[in-house]
Amino acid sequence: RNEFYKRVSERLRHKNRAITHYDFERVILREFHTIAQVKCLSNITHPQYVLPGELRIVVIPGRSQSTDALTPKVNHGTLLEIQNYLRTHSSPFLTARVSNPSYEYVRVNCRVKFANKKNNGESLEKLRADIRHFICPWLGKDDGEIEIGGSLKAEDLYRFIRALPYVDFVTKFAVLHFYVEDESSGVYQLKSTADPRLSEDERTYIRAMKPWSVLIPDNDHEIEFTEREIHVAPEFNLEPVDFQGRFQIS
């Protein structure tokens, strides 16, 4: 009953036409029940990325509607359906682009000594799973909200790994960030916190490169075993890096 009154009051407030960011988000959630999350971006909030008179609307499906929990996406037909609906329920002078998020990948490079002399595949897989949930705490939660346009502090990730009860020592730590700079080309770029050419801020934080991007863990963390607790600086070179077994990025 409360939900009914809430929907009625919202419809009366904007007269079934989307005007504000909130209107666009609520209209989509109300009319398209397979959509779980919406974020509206405009020239007011993100002038560097969205032109005047345009909106970039990011939609994420419910967990049960996606075949991939790590990169949930709405199918192309539904994206067009939402876009067409908004065209008839908003100003004719406004252009709304509805899209899935862009997914950017975070890879950990480090050397680890596991507790109780358990430098083995089982410990490694456990660490990979814990890293995965640290970067994406919403995984496995039906109501977990995905952070769009978020950031990650490399030091926090290091401290998280170091504090795990089955980890004794971590060194040679760096974080790699794979992202698409030009959406029209789809070509991935790479940043590393070990790159001395980057600013201090870029070496400290991994930030989503676009306000409609989501940071997720890469599958290919490069984690080495070590028996000795000797601090080693992370390596950086300009050699090509394999990414998802499909690309070599330099």
Side-chain angles (χ1 to χ4, degrees), residues 1-13 22 26 30:
R1 188 174 182 178
N2 289 339
E3 182 64 25
F4 170 77
Y5 286 124
K6 182 180 177 182
R7 289 188 178 187
V8 169
S9 65
E10 285 178 353
R11 180 165 292 197
L12 289 172
R13 187 178 68 83
Y22 179 84
R26 297 310 303 175
R30 187 192 70 222

Side-chain angles (χ1 to χ4, degrees), residues 190 195-197 235-241 249-250:
L190 165 65
D195 187 348
R197 301 171 301 175
E235 295 177 352
F236 174 76
N237 57 58
L238 298 176
E239 295 296 318
V241 175
I249 304 171
S250 57

Side-chain angles (χ1 to χ4, degrees), residues 30 38 43 48 54 80 90 122 131 141 148 163 181 192 195 212 234:
R30 187 192 70 222
V38 184
N43 180 257
Q48 184 179 349
E54 293 185 359
L80 288 178
S90 62
E122 183 180 348
I131 291 172
K141 299 178 181 178
I148 303 171
E181 189 157 17
S192 169
D195 187 348
W212 52 81

Side-chain angles (χ1 to χ4, degrees), residues 4 8 18 27 44 79 85 88 90 104 109 122 138 160 197 203:
F4 170 77
V8 169
V27 163
I44 296 173
L79 292 177
Y85 182 86
T88 60
S90 62
E104 303 181 5
N109 284 8
E122 183 180 348
W138 41 268
F160 168 77
R197 301 171 301 175
R203 294 196 303 272

Side-chain angles (χ1 to χ4, degrees), residues 1-58:
R1 188 174 182 178
N2 289 339
E3 182 64 25
F4 170 77
Y5 286 124
K6 182 180 177 182
R7 289 188 178 187
V8 169
S9 65
E10 285 178 353
R11 180 165 292 197
L12 289 172
R13 187 178 68 83
H14 52 62
K15 297 180 176 59
N16 206 30
R17 294 188 70 81
I19 300 171
T20 67
H21 288 198
Y22 179 84
D23 292 341
F24 279 94
E25 292 167 359
R26 297 310 303 175
V27 163
I28 292 171
L29 290 172
R30 187 192 70 222
E31 296 296 329
F32 298 89
H33 297 161
T34 60
I35 304 300
Q37 193 174 333
V38 184
K39 184 171 183 177
C40 184
L41 310 169
S42 70
N43 180 257
I44 296 173
T45 58
H46 297 85
Q48 184 179 349
Y49 298 97
V50 185
L51 295 173
E54 293 185 359
L55 289 179
R56 178 72 178 252
I57 300 175
V58 187

